[in-house]
Amino acid sequence: MSLYAQYSEYPFSIKKLQMTYQCWSLKDQPELRLSDWFNATTDSTHMDMRVTNWSAPIVWTDTYNESVLADYYTKYPVTVGLIVFAVGRYLLYYLGRFLESANRFFMVNQKVIFYIMLDDFSHMPWIDLDRHRTLKIFKIKQARRWQDVSMIRMKVISEHIEEHIRREVDYVFCMDVDQLFKAEYGLETLGDSVAQLHTYWYKESPGKVPYERNESSEAYIAAGEGDFYYHAAVFGGTATQVLRITKECAKAIMKDKKNNVEAVWHDESHLNKYFFLHRPSKILSPEYCWDLSQNKTPDIKTVKLVWNFKNYELLRNHL
Ligand code: 5GW
Ligand code: MN
């Protein structure tokens, strides 16, 4: 009977077995040091933008050593989750091509679980996935206003990480679906908490970026404060950290709602406040989320992910 009780308390989980195994073998697992894989030496094109003043690496195309990373994660494998929302017309227009490109370029040769949050199972596109890739599909409710779609994301993500994702993956990314992978997006992007530099603002000083300036919002950042402006279309980290990020953002969003306040850039404003208070341990260059309609400057070498085109008429009329 007690055996049965134990069994039902700890249902079978591969991730748990892996964790147990990792505990046994933890002594043998050397930590991957930054200097082993990251080249912090600044060249003229990056204008001193390779390491932050709190010592977090800013990952650009020519800063990482792919083979060192591949060797390390072959010895100590990880599973990476990718959470994406696709509701209403975004499901029809973007999900298929987003997933096809992710299958091809996201964490090649690593174990990946795609978590798809959608509002209509019957519109789920059929995708041929490579080995090591799994899809999990969840149904969420249709939002009443378009602003709510991005706002409920934080809450829904935190609930799913808490309920199951944290036992299934080591690292997890959350991304907008209106994007396409264009080149390998790999192990160099993994870290405790990972933030994405925004294409439009990465060369601006903090005084000029669109942080929330309404003092009554939880997302408020005072003039002159802040480090970088981060794009909410990509963020990630360990499952534990992403749980913390999304929980805090969801809490702040709810608080604002109660006070009848809405930050101008919605969840992005709150994400920026979170990363201002809890600085990310790794930052991705704009090559990891580029807007192709921007002119490329010499610092943008290999674009790994781009914004997909938007037809606002078509996309937004339904909400
Ligand atoms: C629709 C109209 C306005 C705002 C958001 C939506 C919307 C967003 C939607 O109808 N369905 C949907 O799945 N989303 C999810 O939220 C997508 O994953 C989308 O990529 C993400 C953020 O919304 P975006 O991409 O319209 O936001 P921006 O900042 O890229 O314009
Ligand atoms: Mn988007």
Side-chain angles (χ1 to χ4, degrees):
M1 189 58 204
S2 86
L3 257 183
Y4 173 74
Q6 274 181 19
Y7 177 78
S8 53
E9 204 176 319
Y10 300 104
F12 178 77
S13 144
I14 300 226
K15 183 80 206 99
K16 270 198 184 144
L17 280 179
Q18 279 175 352
M19 275 158 54
T20 313
Y21 174 74
Q22 273 169 11
C23 284
W24 285 336
S25 59
L26 208 57
K27 270 189 244 109
D28 306 333
Q29 178 162 351
E31 212 180 306
L32 185 64
R33 282 169 314 175
L34 190 59
S35 57
D36 293 338
W37 65 274
F38 186 73
N39 175 10
T41 320
T42 309
D43 65 23
S44 55
T45 58
H46 294 131
M47 306 171 300
D48 293 315
M49 287 269 285
R50 287 189 175 195
V51 182
T52 66
N53 60 14
W54 63 95
S55 302
I58 306 181
V59 180
W60 297 82
T61 292
D62 48 4
T63 57
Y64 54 91
N65 184 327
E66 251 173 280
S67 59
V68 168
L69 290 164
D71 286 350
Y72 180 85
Y73 287 101
T74 304
K75 275 199 204 124
Y76 310 105
V78 290
T79 304
V80 184
L82 176 53
I83 306 176
V84 70
F85 279 66
V87 308
R89 299 199 184 174
Y90 281 55
L91 172 54
L92 296 171
Y93 286 116
Y94 294 125
L95 185 63
R97 290 211 294 144
F98 175 83
L99 281 176
E100 265 165 25
S101 70
N103 178 50
R104 202 166 147 211
F105 293 120
F106 182 72
M107 300 292 158
V108 176
N109 294 326
Q110 310 301 317
K111 272 200 213 110
V112 172
I113 304 177
F114 297 114
Y115 297 97
I116 319 291
M117 311 296 172
L118 43 66
D119 58 343
D120 186 345
F121 285 127
S122 71
H123 289 140
M124 179 65 203
W126 179 257
I127 311 283
D128 274 326
L129 292 179
D130 290 355
R131 66 196 190 100
H132 297 326
R133 274 123 215 284
T134 311
L135 266 180
K136 295 197 176 189
I137 306 169
F138 300 90
K139 191 167 169 172
I140 59 156
K141 278 192 295 219
Q142 176 68 269
R144 263 181 304 129
R145 294 181 322 142
W146 65 260
Q147 291 92 337
D148 293 341
V149 178
S150 57
M151 306 289 264
I152 59 163
R153 268 199 304 184
M154 293 294 188
K155 184 161 179 284
V156 173
I157 294 171
S158 69
E159 288 165 357
H160 277 270
I161 295 180
E162 195 143 40
E163 279 160 24
H164 61 100
I165 293 176
R166 64 177 167 176
R167 289 187 296 276
E168 297 164 354
V169 303
D170 303 280
Y171 295 96
V172 60
F173 279 92
C174 309
M175 292 193 191
D176 271 14
V177 74
D178 56 341
Q179 316 194 83
L180 291 169
F181 289 88
K182 290 285 179 190
E184 282 204 20
Y185 188 116
L187 297 163
E188 74 279 6
T189 63
L190 299 180
D192 264 15
S193 66
V194 182
Q196 172 65 55
L197 287 181
H198 197 296
T199 290
Y200 292 171
W201 309 104
Y202 72 102
K203 286 178 182 162
E204 287 294 354
S205 59
K208 294 203 174 130
V209 304
Y211 291 139
E212 180 60 30
R213 302 302 186 190
N214 177 355
E215 281 184 44
S216 42
S217 168
E218 290 290 309
Y220 171 69
I221 294 177
E225 295 204 87
D227 309 298
F228 299 102
Y229 191 79
Y230 306 111
H231 194 174
V234 174
F235 62 95
T238 58
T240 316
Q241 285 298 330
V242 178
L243 175 59
R244 211 166 280 168
I245 295 167
T246 49
K247 233 181 179 170
E248 286 296 311
C249 286
K251 217 161 65 185
I253 290 168
M254 292 306 156
K255 229 176 184 176
D256 272 9
K257 225 178 193 134
K258 238 192 225 156
N259 297 331
N260 258 327
V261 187
E262 198 164 282
V264 176
W265 292 105
H266 316 292
D267 53 345
E268 187 163 271
S269 308
H270 292 279
L271 187 69
N272 271 282
K273 180 64 178 276
Y274 181 90
F275 280 137
F276 170 59
L277 298 175
H278 315 271
R279 289 175 165 130
S281 70
K282 179 178 279 186
I283 292 182
L284 302 178
S285 85
E287 296 162 298
Y288 288 85
C289 190
W290 185 250
D291 176 5
L292 279 180
S293 64
Q294 290 279 103
N295 284 330
K296 265 213 262 178
T297 43
D299 51 350
I300 305 301
K301 297 205 170 73
T302 308
V303 172
K304 293 115 191 335
L305 179 76
V306 296
W307 305 9
N308 204 339
F309 298 104
K310 274 229 167 97
N311 182 333
Y312 288 99
E313 286 278 296
L314 278 175
L315 287 169
R316 296 202 167 163
N317 272 349
H318 73 295
L319 279 178

